[in-house]
Amino acid sequence: MRDSHLYSVYFAPRGKARMINLGWMLSQRHLSPFDLLIGFIGEPGSGKSSLVRGMFPGLELASDDEGVNVRPLPLLNRDGRGFRDSHTYHLDVRFEMAFTQVYDLAQAVRTAVEEGKRVVVEHFELLYPYLGINAQVLVGVGEEVILTRPTIFGPEPQDVANIVFSSSCYRKMAHTAENLTELCITKAGYPTDYHHGDVHHGFILEYDQHPGFSIPEIEAAVKEIIAADLPVAYKDEGHVYIGEHIHPCTGPRLHVKSTGEIENFSLLPQFQYDPIQHQYLLVGLIGERQRDNIRDLNRIVF
């Protein structure tokens, strides 16, 4: 499974369903039935639990973003001999550290792995200094999803953490800017039958037919909301507050705290036509970057 494989990088999609689908795809491409220790790294709300659900369908999560939790923690409440002893356990280190000493969590993980059980660990970078062994598969969730199979030469969990934590702000900005663009398109009465796509430091709205609106008009409306510095807050699993407005959103925990935190928002001035998919693409960008050539947006930098 790890021959010649250093790491793989995927766009981290916005929205629970797309993250779950990505997790399922990662499991097909990268997981082995013999993997016993899988570590996830990323900020709270970044979509780690959704990836876990996609990669391990049916796994009972010991905690999740809605605050539902299983007590006592099954990993700490096993004797290793029961007929009904699970094969796969889930552990959210950040959550469990409120109840259990981290070295006790590390010991429980070591014991389970030694007995041939699989343990899926969120916030693995917090456990690693006490565990002393690296994960067989490390998954980092930031602006991109990074998957690697560490060897004794690395990478270390903190290497992955440094990358995903530093890039998460761009994913939050892009997601909020995407919702603001959707809001302005809807308010202007234009078609909303689009699909979602990804681009580095930005987002894509994909139309099967030309939507017919003026891109500068939408861009000006979004920039007006950004300048107003409206608060952005979670409402429920399907909606987010933008100021006093309630907007549909499938990833409501992944946003900046206010619209004013979005840096250097712009829309490409023309719809980009994809001749293979026969789609018209509205491309939104955030953050510092060179944009002279649109074919440089996803350039691989060495």
Side-chain angles (χ1 to χ4, degrees):
M1 289 293 293
R2 65 186 181 187
D3 287 349
S4 303
H5 180 253
L6 178 58
Y7 63 88
S8 299
V9 181
Y10 300 83
F11 283 119
R14 298 162 297 279
K16 181 179 293 186
R18 293 174 69 203
M19 286 294 284
I20 291 174
N21 283 331
L22 176 61
W24 176 83
M25 183 187 71
L26 294 179
S27 71
Q28 304 302 305
R29 293 183 177 179
H30 298 286
L31 277 186
S32 162
F34 304 103
D35 290 329
L36 298 181
L37 185 57
I38 297 94
F40 287 79
I41 299 172
E43 292 186 351
S46 61
K48 298 185 303 300
S49 294
S50 294
L51 274 184
V52 171
R53 288 188 175 95
M55 294 178 73
F56 306 97
L59 176 62
E60 185 175 35
L61 303 191
S63 64
D64 59 29
D65 289 339
E66 289 79 30
V68 179
N69 58 84
V70 179
R71 313 303 311 170
L73 180 67
L75 182 65
L76 296 175
N77 196 43
R78 54 183 297 274
D79 60 17
R81 300 187 303 272
F83 176 77
R84 299 183 181 277
D85 193 28
S86 298
H87 173 265
T88 304
Y89 292 89
H90 173 260
L91 169 64
D92 184 325
V93 177
R94 184 183 293 272
F95 179 83
E96 292 299 334
M97 285 173 63
F99 307 98
T100 308
Q101 295 291 335
V102 67
Y103 47 79
D104 290 332
L105 296 175
Q107 181 58 52
V109 171
R110 277 196 300 267
T111 300
V113 170
E114 288 169 0
E115 294 177 0
K117 304 299 182 181
R118 173 185 284 159
V119 186
V120 179
V121 182
E122 294 190 43
H123 300 287
F124 185 79
E125 78 283 1
L126 299 178
L127 186 69
Y128 177 67
Y130 304 89
L131 187 61
I133 55 175
N134 209 340
Q136 291 170 279
V137 178
L138 272 179
V139 184
V141 186
E143 186 179 19
E144 293 90 20
V145 172
I146 300 173
L147 187 146
T148 182
R149 284 184 162 273
T151 68
I152 60 173
F153 308 108
E156 296 287 293
Q158 194 58 47
D159 297 334
V160 176
N162 291 340
I163 296 172
V164 299
F165 290 154
S166 64
S167 69
S168 290
C169 60
Y170 297 109
R171 185 163 169 234
K172 292 178 181 178
M173 284 192 286
H175 191 193
T176 306
E178 182 179 36
N179 276 3
L180 296 184
T181 303
E182 294 171 342
L183 174 61
C184 292
I185 291 173
T186 301
K187 282 188 172 182
Y190 293 111
T192 57
D193 52 342
Y194 44 73
H195 312 285
H196 296 274
D198 302 291
V199 68
H200 184 62
H201 278 24
F203 63 90
I204 300 175
L205 300 183
E206 304 167 343
Y207 290 87
D208 294 330
Q209 297 181 348
H210 196 293
F213 56 74
S214 165
I215 293 180
E217 172 190 338
I218 299 299
E219 180 182 78
V222 173
K223 288 184 174 180
E224 184 176 334
I225 299 177
I226 292 174
D229 197 19
L230 299 179
V232 181
Y234 170 92
K235 180 184 184 298
D236 56 38
E237 283 303 298
H239 301 85
V240 65
Y241 286 109
I242 301 175
E244 296 182 353
H245 178 81
I246 299 175
H247 184 73
C249 178
T250 57
R253 300 178 186 276
L254 188 70
H255 288 282
V256 294
K257 294 181 180 179
S258 68
T259 59
E261 295 182 23
I262 300 173
E263 300 175 359
N264 301 311
F265 168 79
S266 67
L267 296 174
L268 292 186
Q270 297 178 338
F271 288 98
Q272 307 301 311
Y273 182 69
D274 183 340
I276 302 296
Q277 301 297 329
H278 304 291
Q279 290 180 323
Y280 295 87
L281 311 180
L282 176 64
V283 181
L285 301 171
I286 52 88
E288 294 288 348
R289 62 179 304 127
Q290 294 293 326
R291 305 174 185 176
D292 295 335
N293 188 340
I294 63 170
R295 288 171 177 79
D296 289 341
L297 293 181
N298 287 338
R299 172 181 289 178
I300 298 175
V301 180
F302 295 96

